[in-house]
Amino acid sequence: MLKKFLYILCMAAFIVSAGCSGTGTKEAADHIHKEGTQAKKAKPQTKEAQKEPEVKNQDTHGTENSPDAQKADPVVKPITPQYRINPNNWSIVPLEKSDKKEVLLTIDDAPDKHAVEMAKTLKGLGIKAIFFVNGHFIDSPEGQAKLKELHDLGFIIGNHTQTHANLTQIPESQQYKEIVPLNQKIKAVTGEAPKFFRAPYGANTAYSKKLAAQEKMAIMNWTFGYDWVKEYQNKDALTKIMISSPYLSNGANLLMHDRTWTMEALPGIIKGFQDKGYSFIDPALIEVPK
Ligand SMILES: [Zn+2]
């Protein structure tokens, strides 16, 4: 009986011992190995972890500088002006002396039937421009979609009044309605309020000038344009007169409209200016009121 008990005790002790020494040692060894491995890995990981934020920061900067990020928050992008508007003849003057021959392209009464197609043509040619918008074209969802497309294609949007009224013929209360709410409408669609104001017929009043200043918009008339004159309302005549106008000079502010013949003439007009050595000014670089 005692022998049997001792035998059982011994066997139990052997199993426990074997169990502990075998499995336990292996587990412990594994544990140490793992910790060791982790510890060995931990250092490089720590080094990598120290490096990674730098890499990530560079990535983050890359993301911030990506076109998408710029699109997401264009207001933050700092722009150093390189040009100003000459209020005597509305030409665009470089702030620093330049030998470059340049003109500015502006397209009024948009977005009616052709502005988006004109914008796509210009974008394809790498040409910047201002589209001066009338509020009555963006009162519909379709008009708002066109405005958004112009903006998303990278074009500057200007204020050209709500109804294309002659501001010199209406009272101040109406002038206000023509100008100020349109900025809010445009901002609601594009996220940016216009920085340029062009009065219909170039007809400003003391009050419209005051409103433009209050709204931080630069007033901009134009140097020359022809597409509203009967004899130039076809592609060939318009192309020819635009590039050979006696008013053409460096910094000229070119006026065109959202019209069929202007849309058709646009590629030829661009080429004509380029053949004469002119490039096109980026209106985003023109000084505006702060
Ligand atoms: Zn107009």
Side-chain angles (χ1 to χ4, degrees):
M1 190 66 186
L2 183 63
K3 271 186 183 176
K4 196 177 179 184
F5 174 75
L6 287 170
Y7 174 77
I8 290 167
L9 195 67
C10 184
M11 286 301 289
F14 175 77
I15 290 165
V16 170
S17 166
C20 287
S21 65
T23 317
T25 307
K26 189 173 182 297
E27 275 179 358
D30 279 356
H31 189 61
I32 290 164
H33 177 70
K34 278 178 189 169
E35 275 193 342
T37 310
Q38 283 175 347
K40 276 178 194 169
K41 274 184 184 170
K43 277 193 176 175
Q45 275 179 351
T46 306
K47 279 180 188 168
E48 280 165 20
Q50 285 169 347
K51 278 181 190 170
E52 269 174 8
E54 291 173 20
V55 174
K56 276 177 185 168
N57 281 345
Q58 285 167 5
D59 285 345
T60 309
H61 282 297
T63 309
E64 280 171 359
N65 289 332
S66 72
D68 280 351
Q70 286 178 3
K71 201 189 287 176
D73 201 355
V75 180
V76 173
K77 189 181 157 193
I79 295 172
T80 308
Q82 293 179 19
Y83 302 89
R84 65 178 176 82
I85 303 166
N86 178 348
N88 300 316
N89 63 4
W90 306 107
S91 68
I92 308 302
V93 186
L95 293 176
E96 288 181 16
K97 200 179 178 312
S98 167
D99 295 330
K100 270 168 89 176
K101 287 170 71 180
E102 295 177 293
V103 288
L104 174 70
L105 197 55
T106 66
I107 295 165
D108 284 16
D109 304 1
D112 193 0
K113 293 185 177 67
H114 307 294
V116 171
E117 196 172 335
M118 292 168 88
K120 286 178 179 170
T121 299
L122 293 172
K123 175 95 176 173
L125 296 167
I127 308 294
K128 308 280 189 181
I130 304 177
F131 283 83
F132 279 97
V133 164
N134 291 116
H136 61 82
F137 289 127
I138 60 164
D139 284 337
S140 66
E142 295 78 20
Q144 287 164 15
K146 288 178 187 174
L147 170 62
K148 180 148 182 25
E149 197 163 1
L150 294 179
H151 177 264
D152 289 352
L153 284 165
F155 293 95
I156 298 289
I157 306 300
N159 180 325
H160 195 39
T161 74
Q162 173 64 30
T163 71
H164 208 274
N166 186 331
L167 298 171
T168 63
Q169 296 173 3
I170 56 176
E172 288 186 356
S173 58
Q174 236 172 304
Q175 292 180 51
Y176 183 93
K177 286 179 187 167
E178 286 286 338
I179 297 168
V180 177
L182 177 55
N183 278 0
Q184 293 155 5
K185 279 186 195 178
I186 291 172
K187 190 176 181 184
V189 174
T190 67
E192 286 182 279
K195 296 185 174 72
F196 297 99
F197 176 68
R198 177 171 282 165
Y201 320 104
N204 270 293
T205 64
Y207 184 62
S208 73
K209 288 178 186 174
K210 190 176 146 191
L211 288 179
Q214 279 174 7
E215 292 286 302
K216 299 188 177 1
M217 294 190 289
I219 288 176
M220 177 186 280
N221 283 8
W222 59 90
T223 309
F224 68 87
Y226 293 90
D227 65 357
W228 63 94
V229 180
K230 189 79 189 144
E231 63 181 296
Y232 301 116
Q233 291 181 352
N234 67 79
K235 178 186 161 187
D236 292 339
L238 182 60
T239 306
K240 196 175 169 195
I241 188 66
M242 282 302 288
I243 58 182
S244 61
S245 166
Y247 302 106
L248 175 58
S249 59
N250 203 2
N253 190 332
L254 312 176
L255 170 58
M256 296 198 263
H257 292 81
D258 180 332
R259 304 279 189 273
T260 307
W261 47 91
T262 313
M263 175 188 69
E264 291 168 353
L266 197 52
I269 292 171
I270 299 294
K271 188 175 184 308
F273 280 113
Q274 289 174 332
D275 287 349
K276 286 189 154 189
Y278 284 94
S279 55
F280 290 83
I281 291 165
D282 178 356
L285 301 176
I286 299 172
E287 204 169 56
V288 290
K290 285 178 183 166

